[in-house]
Short mmCIF file of all heavy atoms in Angstrom, two decimals:
data_model
loop_
_atom_site.label_atom_id
_atom_site.label_comp_id
_atom_site.label_asym_id
_atom_site.label_seq_id
_atom_site.Cartn_x
_atom_site.Cartn_y
_atom_site.Cartn_z
N LEU A 1 3.16 -7.73 6.71
CA LEU A 1 2.26 -7.37 5.64
C LEU A 1 2.90 -6.23 4.80
O LEU A 1 3.26 -5.22 5.35
CB LEU A 1 0.91 -6.95 6.17
CG LEU A 1 -0.12 -6.59 5.13
CD1 LEU A 1 -0.46 -7.74 4.20
CD2 LEU A 1 -1.41 -6.09 5.85
N ARG A 2 3.01 -6.46 3.52
CA ARG A 2 3.52 -5.45 2.63
C ARG A 2 2.51 -5.13 1.54
O ARG A 2 1.87 -5.98 0.97
CB ARG A 2 4.84 -5.93 1.96
CG ARG A 2 5.90 -6.23 3.02
CD ARG A 2 7.21 -6.56 2.40
NE ARG A 2 8.08 -7.15 3.38
CZ ARG A 2 8.96 -8.12 3.14
NH1 ARG A 2 9.10 -8.57 1.94
NH2 ARG A 2 9.69 -8.60 4.14
N ILE A 3 2.33 -3.81 1.37
CA ILE A 3 1.32 -3.34 0.40
C ILE A 3 2.03 -2.99 -0.91
O ILE A 3 3.15 -2.48 -0.94
CB ILE A 3 0.65 -2.05 0.92
CG1 ILE A 3 0.07 -2.30 2.32
CG2 ILE A 3 -0.41 -1.54 -0.05
CD1 ILE A 3 -1.00 -3.37 2.38
N GLY A 4 1.40 -3.31 -2.04
CA GLY A 4 1.97 -2.98 -3.34
C GLY A 4 1.02 -3.15 -4.50
O GLY A 4 -0.12 -3.54 -4.28
N THR A 5 1.52 -2.87 -5.65
CA THR A 5 0.70 -3.08 -6.90
C THR A 5 0.85 -4.57 -7.23
O THR A 5 1.70 -5.25 -6.75
CB THR A 5 1.23 -2.23 -8.00
OG1 THR A 5 2.58 -2.68 -8.34
CG2 THR A 5 1.24 -0.76 -7.67
N THR A 6 -0.04 -4.99 -8.12
CA THR A 6 0.01 -6.45 -8.54
C THR A 6 1.44 -6.76 -9.10
O THR A 6 1.99 -7.74 -8.75
CB THR A 6 -1.08 -6.68 -9.58
OG1 THR A 6 -2.34 -6.55 -8.98
CG2 THR A 6 -0.96 -8.10 -10.19
N ALA A 7 1.93 -5.88 -9.97
CA ALA A 7 3.24 -6.17 -10.62
C ALA A 7 4.32 -6.21 -9.56
O ALA A 7 5.20 -7.10 -9.57
CB ALA A 7 3.57 -5.08 -11.61
N ASP A 8 4.33 -5.28 -8.56
CA ASP A 8 5.29 -5.28 -7.51
C ASP A 8 5.18 -6.54 -6.66
O ASP A 8 6.20 -7.12 -6.29
CB ASP A 8 5.11 -4.01 -6.64
CG ASP A 8 6.09 -3.92 -5.51
OD1 ASP A 8 7.28 -4.07 -5.75
OD2 ASP A 8 5.64 -3.66 -4.34
N LEU A 9 3.94 -6.91 -6.30
CA LEU A 9 3.81 -8.11 -5.42
C LEU A 9 4.27 -9.38 -6.10
O LEU A 9 4.98 -10.21 -5.54
CB LEU A 9 2.31 -8.24 -5.05
CG LEU A 9 1.76 -7.10 -4.18
CD1 LEU A 9 0.23 -7.24 -3.99
CD2 LEU A 9 2.46 -7.07 -2.81
N VAL A 10 3.97 -9.52 -7.39
CA VAL A 10 4.40 -10.66 -8.20
C VAL A 10 5.95 -10.71 -8.20
O VAL A 10 6.58 -11.76 -8.01
CB VAL A 10 3.82 -10.65 -9.61
CG1 VAL A 10 4.51 -11.68 -10.52
CG2 VAL A 10 2.31 -10.90 -9.52
N GLU A 11 6.55 -9.55 -8.45
CA GLU A 11 8.06 -9.50 -8.50
C GLU A 11 8.62 -9.89 -7.13
O GLU A 11 9.62 -10.62 -7.12
CB GLU A 11 8.50 -8.07 -8.90
CG GLU A 11 9.94 -7.92 -9.06
CD GLU A 11 10.57 -8.74 -10.23
OE1 GLU A 11 9.82 -9.07 -11.17
OE2 GLU A 11 11.73 -9.06 -10.11
N GLN A 12 8.04 -9.41 -6.04
CA GLN A 12 8.54 -9.72 -4.73
C GLN A 12 8.39 -11.22 -4.38
O GLN A 12 9.29 -11.83 -3.79
CB GLN A 12 7.87 -8.90 -3.66
CG GLN A 12 8.33 -7.42 -3.67
CD GLN A 12 7.80 -6.68 -2.44
OE1 GLN A 12 8.08 -7.08 -1.34
NE2 GLN A 12 7.08 -5.61 -2.70
N VAL A 13 7.35 -11.85 -4.85
CA VAL A 13 7.19 -13.30 -4.64
C VAL A 13 8.26 -14.02 -5.46
O VAL A 13 8.91 -14.96 -4.95
CB VAL A 13 5.73 -13.75 -5.03
CG1 VAL A 13 5.64 -15.28 -5.07
CG2 VAL A 13 4.74 -13.18 -4.06
N LEU A 14 8.44 -13.63 -6.71
CA LEU A 14 9.43 -14.30 -7.55
C LEU A 14 10.84 -14.19 -6.96
O LEU A 14 11.68 -15.06 -7.12
CB LEU A 14 9.39 -13.69 -9.00
CG LEU A 14 8.24 -14.11 -9.81
CD1 LEU A 14 8.13 -13.22 -11.08
CD2 LEU A 14 8.33 -15.61 -10.17
N ARG A 15 11.16 -13.05 -6.35
CA ARG A 15 12.47 -12.83 -5.78
C ARG A 15 12.64 -13.41 -4.38
O ARG A 15 13.69 -13.36 -3.77
CB ARG A 15 12.81 -11.33 -5.69
CG ARG A 15 13.00 -10.71 -7.06
CD ARG A 15 13.26 -9.21 -6.91
NE ARG A 15 13.44 -8.61 -8.22
CZ ARG A 15 14.60 -8.23 -8.71
NH1 ARG A 15 15.72 -8.42 -8.05
NH2 ARG A 15 14.64 -7.68 -9.90
N GLY A 16 11.56 -14.04 -3.86
CA GLY A 16 11.62 -14.65 -2.52
C GLY A 16 11.47 -13.73 -1.36
O GLY A 16 11.70 -14.03 -0.23
N ARG A 17 11.09 -12.50 -1.66
CA ARG A 17 10.92 -11.49 -0.58
C ARG A 17 9.57 -11.61 0.10
O ARG A 17 9.35 -11.15 1.22
CB ARG A 17 11.07 -10.08 -1.14
CG ARG A 17 12.49 -9.78 -1.61
CD ARG A 17 12.67 -8.39 -2.08
NE ARG A 17 14.06 -8.20 -2.60
CZ ARG A 17 14.31 -7.46 -3.62
NH1 ARG A 17 13.35 -6.86 -4.31
NH2 ARG A 17 15.52 -7.33 -4.05
N LEU A 18 8.60 -12.25 -0.61
CA LEU A 18 7.31 -12.54 -0.07
C LEU A 18 7.03 -14.01 -0.32
O LEU A 18 7.39 -14.56 -1.30
CB LEU A 18 6.19 -11.75 -0.79
CG LEU A 18 6.19 -10.23 -0.63
CD1 LEU A 18 5.08 -9.67 -1.54
CD2 LEU A 18 5.95 -9.86 0.85
N GLU A 19 6.37 -14.60 0.68
CA GLU A 19 5.98 -16.02 0.50
C GLU A 19 4.68 -16.15 -0.28
O GLU A 19 4.46 -17.19 -0.95
CB GLU A 19 5.85 -16.75 1.83
CG GLU A 19 7.19 -17.18 2.36
CD GLU A 19 7.59 -16.54 3.63
OE1 GLU A 19 7.16 -16.97 4.67
OE2 GLU A 19 8.35 -15.57 3.55
N ALA A 20 3.81 -15.20 -0.17
CA ALA A 20 2.50 -15.20 -0.88
C ALA A 20 2.01 -13.81 -1.03
O ALA A 20 2.47 -12.86 -0.34
CB ALA A 20 1.51 -16.06 -0.07
N ALA A 21 1.02 -13.63 -1.87
CA ALA A 21 0.43 -12.29 -2.07
C ALA A 21 -0.98 -12.46 -2.65
O ALA A 21 -1.27 -13.45 -3.30
CB ALA A 21 1.31 -11.42 -3.08
N ILE A 22 -1.80 -11.50 -2.33
CA ILE A 22 -3.10 -11.40 -2.92
C ILE A 22 -3.02 -10.20 -3.88
O ILE A 22 -2.71 -9.09 -3.52
CB ILE A 22 -4.18 -11.06 -1.86
CG1 ILE A 22 -4.33 -12.27 -0.90
CG2 ILE A 22 -5.52 -10.82 -2.56
CD1 ILE A 22 -5.30 -12.04 0.21
N ALA A 23 -3.16 -10.56 -5.18
CA ALA A 23 -2.96 -9.56 -6.22
C ALA A 23 -4.27 -9.38 -7.02
O ALA A 23 -5.20 -10.18 -6.84
CB ALA A 23 -1.81 -9.98 -7.14
N GLY A 24 -4.24 -8.43 -7.89
CA GLY A 24 -5.48 -8.16 -8.65
C GLY A 24 -5.79 -9.16 -9.75
O GLY A 24 -6.89 -9.57 -9.88
N ASP A 25 -4.81 -9.59 -10.51
CA ASP A 25 -5.00 -10.57 -11.55
C ASP A 25 -4.07 -11.73 -11.35
O ASP A 25 -3.01 -11.57 -10.72
CB ASP A 25 -4.66 -9.87 -12.89
CG ASP A 25 -5.59 -8.73 -13.24
OD1 ASP A 25 -6.82 -8.93 -13.08
OD2 ASP A 25 -5.07 -7.71 -13.67
N ALA A 26 -4.44 -12.84 -11.86
CA ALA A 26 -3.61 -14.04 -11.77
C ALA A 26 -2.31 -13.76 -12.53
O ALA A 26 -2.38 -13.37 -13.70
CB ALA A 26 -4.27 -15.26 -12.30
N PRO A 27 -1.14 -13.98 -11.93
CA PRO A 27 0.11 -13.71 -12.59
C PRO A 27 0.36 -14.73 -13.69
O PRO A 27 0.11 -15.92 -13.53
CB PRO A 27 1.16 -13.80 -11.51
CG PRO A 27 0.53 -14.67 -10.48
CD PRO A 27 -0.99 -14.41 -10.56
N ALA A 28 0.78 -14.27 -14.87
CA ALA A 28 1.09 -15.17 -15.98
C ALA A 28 2.60 -15.50 -15.92
O ALA A 28 3.38 -15.01 -16.69
CB ALA A 28 0.74 -14.50 -17.28
N HIS A 29 2.92 -16.31 -14.92
CA HIS A 29 4.38 -16.71 -14.80
C HIS A 29 4.42 -18.17 -14.42
O HIS A 29 3.74 -18.63 -13.53
CB HIS A 29 5.01 -15.87 -13.70
CG HIS A 29 6.50 -15.89 -13.78
ND1 HIS A 29 7.25 -16.94 -13.43
CD2 HIS A 29 7.37 -14.95 -14.25
CE1 HIS A 29 8.53 -16.72 -13.60
NE2 HIS A 29 8.59 -15.50 -14.08
N SER A 30 5.32 -18.94 -15.14
CA SER A 30 5.39 -20.38 -14.95
C SER A 30 5.92 -20.81 -13.56
O SER A 30 5.66 -21.91 -13.13
CB SER A 30 6.27 -20.97 -16.03
OG SER A 30 7.59 -20.48 -15.91
N ASP A 31 6.60 -19.90 -12.86
CA ASP A 31 7.13 -20.25 -11.54
C ASP A 31 6.12 -20.02 -10.38
O ASP A 31 6.48 -20.27 -9.26
CB ASP A 31 8.42 -19.42 -11.28
CG ASP A 31 9.58 -19.87 -12.10
OD1 ASP A 31 9.58 -21.04 -12.62
OD2 ASP A 31 10.53 -19.08 -12.26
N LEU A 32 5.00 -19.45 -10.73
CA LEU A 32 3.98 -19.15 -9.69
C LEU A 32 2.69 -19.89 -9.97
O LEU A 32 2.31 -20.21 -11.07
CB LEU A 32 3.67 -17.62 -9.76
CG LEU A 32 4.82 -16.70 -9.40
CD1 LEU A 32 4.35 -15.23 -9.54
CD2 LEU A 32 5.38 -16.98 -8.02
N SER A 33 2.03 -20.20 -8.85
CA SER A 33 0.69 -20.79 -8.99
C SER A 33 -0.23 -19.81 -8.33
O SER A 33 0.12 -19.01 -7.46
CB SER A 33 0.64 -22.14 -8.30
OG SER A 33 0.87 -22.01 -6.91
N SER A 34 -1.47 -19.83 -8.80
CA SER A 34 -2.44 -18.85 -8.28
C SER A 34 -3.77 -19.57 -8.02
O SER A 34 -4.05 -20.67 -8.59
CB SER A 34 -2.64 -17.70 -9.19
OG SER A 34 -3.19 -18.15 -10.42
N GLU A 35 -4.59 -18.96 -7.19
CA GLU A 35 -5.91 -19.46 -6.88
C GLU A 35 -6.88 -18.29 -6.81
O GLU A 35 -6.49 -17.29 -6.13
CB GLU A 35 -5.88 -20.26 -5.60
CG GLU A 35 -7.17 -20.86 -5.22
CD GLU A 35 -7.09 -21.73 -3.95
OE1 GLU A 35 -6.04 -22.39 -3.82
OE2 GLU A 35 -8.02 -21.72 -3.17
N SER A 36 -8.01 -18.43 -7.40
CA SER A 36 -8.96 -17.32 -7.33
C SER A 36 -9.65 -17.29 -5.97
O SER A 36 -10.09 -18.31 -5.48
CB SER A 36 -10.01 -17.45 -8.42
OG SER A 36 -10.95 -16.44 -8.30
#
């Protein structure tokens, strides 16, 4: 479990350092999918 800000968590998912994250807002990135 890694703690971070929404921007940090999204970046870590994009770089493959995290497999998933619960973030504050849905990321606006075409390589990611989100669910509320």
Side-chain angles (χ1 to χ4, degrees):
L1 181 61
R2 299 188 192 142
I3 306 299
T5 64
T6 295
D8 180 48
L9 295 172
V10 168
E11 184 64 26
Q12 287 190 58
V13 170
L14 286 169
R15 291 179 182 255
R17 294 183 183 142
L18 294 176
E19 276 118 83
I22 296 177
D25 296 315
H29 198 286
S30 62
D31 290 340
L32 298 177
S33 63
S34 64
E35 184 174 322
S36 177

